[in-house]
Amino acid sequence: MSSYAYTIAQSIKTAVEAIASPPTVVIRKESFLIKGDTLPTLVISMPEESGAKFATFGDGGSTSYGSIGKDYRYEMVLYREFGGDVQTNTDTLAAIRLAINQKLNKGTLSGSSTVWNVSISGGEAFENGGFGTNNERSIFGITVSSSENING
């Protein structure tokens, strides 16, 4: 995994923390809760690289070999407390997801100069966190396209 992927994840975290009433945002290898996490929490899981999608040529010298384009797909899981009542707070996760979509669904990402496209994909709006977990989660993804220098 490249340092570009981590820089982009940090930029996503910073953007989400700037929304009104943000959840706690953490970056992890996998999208799971850890004992002691405060809810609501958004877990951003580190992506796998897509490999080169395109390449451009530089000057052919030792200073610029051009750039390659890669896509990084981050899984994002938003957790909130769930006491078993399926008729209250039905808009909590939806409102947070909408704010995240409005903040991130843009052509660029502040703090990551290599990013040239960001797209959000849907997923489960509500999913029970599992027996005895007392949480529910909303799973969605974000694909970030990045143009990176071949030689650095």
Side-chain angles (χ1 to χ4, degrees):
M1 169 148 355
S2 75
S3 62
Y4 288 109
Y6 186 73
T7 299
I8 293 168
Q10 287 284 27
S11 296
I12 293 169
K13 179 180 187 290
T14 300
V16 172
E17 289 173 336
I19 66 174
S21 303
T24 301
V25 184
V26 295
I27 300 169
R28 298 198 172 126
K29 292 178 185 176
E30 299 290 333
S31 52
F32 53 81
L33 283 178
I34 294 176
K35 186 176 182 175
D37 282 344
T38 21
L39 299 179
T41 293
L42 176 69
V43 180
I44 303 168
S45 65
M46 292 299 292
E48 293 194 22
E49 295 180 24
S50 68
K53 296 289 187 185
F54 67 82
T56 61
F57 297 103
D59 61 15
S62 60
T63 58
S64 175
Y65 291 101
S67 60
I68 57 173
K70 291 184 177 179
D71 285 341
Y72 299 97
R73 187 178 189 292
Y74 298 83
E75 180 179 73
M76 304 200 333
V77 182
L78 180 59
Y79 293 91
R80 78 167 183 103
E81 288 184 43
F82 176 65
D85 185 352
V86 295
Q87 295 182 349
T88 59
N89 296 318
T90 56
D91 65 337
T92 303
L93 292 179
I96 295 172
R97 274 181 63 161
L98 176 62
I100 291 170
N101 285 348
Q102 290 172 338
K103 189 72 172 177
L104 294 175
N105 206 5
K106 300 179 178 180
T108 60
L109 186 59
S110 179
S112 294
S113 61
T114 63
V115 172
W116 59 273
N117 187 41
V118 179
S119 62
I120 309 261
S121 58
E124 294 288 333
F126 301 98
E127 182 179 287
N128 190 336
F131 181 73
T133 62
N134 197 33
N135 66 61
E136 75 178 354
R137 59 188 174 213
S138 179
I139 303 169
F140 54 107
I142 179 170
T143 302
V144 177
S145 300
S146 178
S147 179
E148 305 165 5
N149 290 328
I150 291 174
N151 60 331

